[in-house]
Amino acid sequence: MRNTRAAVLVGDLLRTYAKPLSIQELHEHVRAHLPSTAYSTVYRIVGRLEAAGRVHRVDWRERGSRYEWSGLPHHHHIVCSLCGRSVDLDDADLGFSEERVRAATGFLVDHHSIELEGICPSCQR
Amino acid sequence: MRNTRAAVLVGDLLRTYAKPLSIQELHEHVRAHLPSTAYSTVYRIVGRLEAAGRVHRVDWRERGSRYEWSGLPHHHHIVCSLCGRSVDLDDADLGFSEERVRAATGFLVDHHSIELEGICPSCQR
DNA sequence: GCATCTATTGCAAGTTACTTGCAACAAGGC
DNA sequence: GCCTTGTTGCAAGTAACTTGCAATAGATGC
């Protein structure tokens, strides 16, 4: 994968922002630095990053599908339904283990996705 | 909401099948009994059922969005990535509690969605 | 049962977000 | 610098989902 200007901008933002971003949001970011960049370019960069395993997709129901840097430790998200901010949670915070699912169902778990929505502490005030 | 023939077919299938179904699948079922039924009719019936709270949407990533009868006890699913069959899991099977999330993050949880994918016991053989 | 009212339907067209073909372009190796 | 080939911008193409509208059919009251 070539280090084109747009690809570097997309990769850097995903890596440093460390939260899921939509292609729209990535596109806006790239255009701020390289105004001629097309949506389809960002779309394809993200596809390449995903194929290379450097990024993975996250679905936030009403908020659409988003992409997050894969180098982060495994975690899930809780998104504030008022302000949209997200906080990370790991399996231990949730009491989750694949072992437990295995015991309950006999399934060998490949993949799990946990998405939570609620009101964050600051919006509760 | 009127008890039209198509709406009764959709509602009955969702209630008795008790597993998430796509609009496509519901449409095929309705057409088997009422061949003239349009996709958009099923689409709107499901929308009405959802608005009435009798059905809710479930997202199964690659398998698309599906709808499930709401009268069932709260649960999640693990879907076999080979045969597509799903098994229900409740929060206790997962060790999950909103209280725990509250303690870890301070968020008031509105809604949570947990979807698992793996290999079912019979496909493991 | 029959008339009436209005939700519901079928059809076709519209919208949206996502995908792709292709010729021009530019990153990286030599 | 020059060439090779991955990338880009543009515009057009999909597929799935939505909607407008005139015709239809549940439901209600008589």
Side-chain angles (χ1 to χ4, degrees):
Chain A
M1 186 171 170
R2 288 188 183 168
N3 293 317
T4 61
R5 305 226 270 143
V8 170
L9 286 165
V10 169
D12 283 354
L13 183 61
L14 283 165
R15 187 157 36 69
T16 60
Y17 189 64
K19 295 220 173 284
L21 289 163
S22 64
I23 292 184
Q24 286 288 345
E25 289 165 340
L26 290 165
H27 183 211
E28 280 160 29
H29 173 75
V30 174
R31 286 183 75 119
H33 300 269
L34 266 183
S36 67
T37 310
Y39 172 91
S40 63
T41 296
V42 177
Y43 167 79
R44 283 185 275 209
I45 288 170
V46 170
R48 256 174 255 140
L49 289 170
E50 189 181 18
R54 319 226 320 216
V55 141
H56 60 267
R57 206 179 74 207
V58 175
D59 284 310
W60 279 1
R61 292 181 67 95
E62 313 308 329
R63 290 176 196 266
S65 65
R66 285 155 175 274
Y67 294 84
E68 183 178 37
W69 191 250
S70 292
L72 311 166
H74 171 80
H75 66 279
H76 305 286
H77 307 100
I78 179 161
V79 183
C80 179
S81 42
L82 299 179
C83 68
R85 202 178 329 161
S86 78
V87 167
D88 297 347
L89 284 158
D90 61 29
D91 287 347
D93 291 329
L94 298 165
F96 179 85
S97 84
E98 297 196 342
E99 204 32 65
R100 206 165 178 142
V101 175
R102 175 92 205 255
T105 63
F107 273 63
L108 262 177
V109 183
D110 284 344
H111 168 83
H112 66 272
S113 134
I114 303 180
E115 298 299 336
L116 301 147
E117 202 175 316
I119 316 283
C120 73
S122 86
C123 289
Q124 280 173 46
R125 286 194 289 273
Chain B
M1 187 170 169
R2 288 188 183 167
N3 293 317
T4 62
R5 305 225 272 144
V8 170
L9 285 165
V10 169
D12 283 353
L13 183 62
L14 284 165
R15 187 158 35 68
T16 60
Y17 188 65
K19 295 220 172 283
L21 289 163
S22 64
I23 292 183
Q24 285 289 346
E25 289 165 341
L26 290 165
H27 184 210
E28 280 158 29
H29 172 75
V30 174
R31 286 185 75 121
H33 296 79
L34 265 183
S36 68
T37 311
Y39 172 91
S40 63
T41 297
V42 176
Y43 167 80
R44 283 185 275 208
I45 288 170
V46 171
R48 256 174 256 139
L49 288 170
E50 190 180 18
R54 316 224 317 200
V55 141
H56 60 268
R57 207 179 74 207
V58 174
D59 284 311
W60 279 1
R61 293 181 67 94
E62 312 308 328
R63 289 175 197 268
S65 66
R66 286 154 174 276
Y67 295 84
E68 183 178 37
W69 191 250
S70 293
L72 310 167
H74 171 80
H75 65 279
H76 306 287
H77 306 99
I78 179 161
V79 183
C80 179
S81 42
L82 299 180
C83 69
R85 202 178 330 162
S86 78
V87 168
D88 296 349
L89 285 157
D90 61 28
D91 287 346
D93 292 327
L94 298 165
F96 178 84
S97 85
E98 297 196 340
E99 205 31 66
R100 204 164 179 143
V101 175
R102 177 92 205 254
T105 64
F107 272 62
L108 262 178
V109 183
D110 283 345
H111 168 83
H112 65 272
S113 134
I114 303 181
E115 297 301 335
L116 302 147
E117 201 174 314
I119 316 283
C120 73
S122 85
C123 288
Q124 280 173 45
R125 286 194 290 272

